[in-house]
Amino acid sequence: MTTVLIVDDQQLQRYGFRVLLDSIPETEVVGEAGTGAEAVRKTAELRPDVVLMDVRMPGMDGIEATRRIAEAGGRSRVLVLTTFDVDEYVHAALRAGASGFLLKDARPEELLAGIRAVAGGDAVIAPALTRRILDEYARHVPARRGSSGEDPRVASLTEREREILVAIGKGWTNGEIAARFVVSESTVKTHVGRVLAKIGARDRVQAVIFAYDQGLARPGAG
């Protein structure tokens, strides 16, 4: 059973998500919030597996609420719902600690799959948003100075783990990585887990940020 807190300032939107999630046996809506401040408070109280977070809300927005939830260090993961017209917020939400992004007009099965992935410790980004998100984030990453030296966390990676990190930075799925390196997906998952542990990343989204910060990924890289 995956517990979910729905956060949106529009009551009708919250109702729609609740109806959908209540119709699925493996999900349970444990609460709703209409503001960012309320989301932070209820996350601390209810400790849901996933917080379904809107971005634009009066007062404390979804980005600041996400940051506070992530900084609290609890078990709850944040899945941000966004639209193309708020792309400028995406890099900030990545920094804030969101574990995934989906469009508000995502199909029900995409939303449910996203919730399951985030609850399981993975990360999810809507396919239509992936390249836009990475490019938008990269524009806000300062150019690295060559004289600064290699980050010790990168140096701690084995050659294969470094290759895996680069692949994660390109937005590749486990299946794509497995095909590229001719290994099983279970082996990829093991490598990914080790990479995340070594670089101190919560999930794949944070690993993407790290890869960009270290110059291991860049816009337009295939």
Side-chain angles (χ1 to χ4, degrees):
M1 179 68 69
T2 300
T3 56
V4 180
L5 173 67
I6 300 171
V7 183
D8 198 294
D9 64 333
Q10 296 184 22
Q11 185 174 357
L12 186 59
Q13 187 79 66
R14 296 199 306 271
Y15 175 77
F17 287 134
R18 177 179 279 275
V19 169
L20 171 62
L21 297 178
D22 282 346
S23 69
I24 307 299
E26 63 265 30
T27 61
E28 176 188 3
V29 176
V30 294
E32 299 180 16
T35 67
E38 187 180 13
V40 173
R41 178 174 59 80
K42 287 196 171 182
T43 297
E45 292 175 358
L46 302 172
R47 301 179 69 245
D49 296 315
V50 177
V51 180
L52 206 55
M53 182 74 75
D54 187 21
V55 172
R56 288 179 169 175
M57 292 181 288
M60 183 190 298
D61 63 15
I63 294 172
E64 179 59 25
T66 295
R67 179 178 296 109
R68 296 193 185 190
I69 290 171
E71 288 178 349
R75 61 192 294 272
S76 302
R77 299 297 182 93
V78 178
L79 177 57
V80 173
L81 295 176
T82 187
T83 53
F84 281 124
D85 65 338
V86 293
D87 273 353
E88 67 270 21
Y89 297 123
V90 169
H91 73 282
L94 281 169
R95 281 291 191 188
S99 293
F101 296 86
L102 287 177
L103 297 175
K104 277 196 171 182
D105 61 357
R107 297 192 304 272
E109 58 269 25
E110 292 175 333
L111 176 61
L112 295 172
I115 289 173
R116 285 193 295 269
V118 169
D122 206 342
V124 60
I125 299 177
L129 278 176
T130 302
R131 180 49 55 194
R132 292 179 63 124
I133 285 174
L134 298 184
D135 289 354
E136 174 69 17
Y137 174 74
R139 282 195 290 271
H140 293 78
V141 177
R144 283 175 49 80
R145 295 186 294 273
S147 59
S148 61
E150 186 174 63
D151 189 295
R153 291 169 292 179
V154 175
S156 73
L157 301 175
T158 65
E159 182 178 353
R160 175 47 57 90
E161 288 168 351
R162 187 184 180 106
E163 292 173 337
I164 295 293
L165 176 58
V166 170
I168 293 173
K170 293 177 179 178
W172 293 5
T173 65
N174 283 351
E176 290 170 334
I177 296 174
R180 171 65 178 81
F181 297 114
V182 196
V183 296
S184 69
E185 285 196 41
S186 62
T187 297
V188 172
K189 289 180 181 179
T190 298
H191 283 308
V192 170
R194 289 173 180 166
V195 169
L196 297 184
K198 286 187 176 182
I199 67 175
R202 290 183 58 181
D203 51 42
R204 293 172 79 104
V205 171
Q206 298 303 305
V208 169
I209 292 176
F210 182 80
Y212 268 77
D213 284 344
Q214 301 304 315
L216 300 176
R218 64 186 186 277

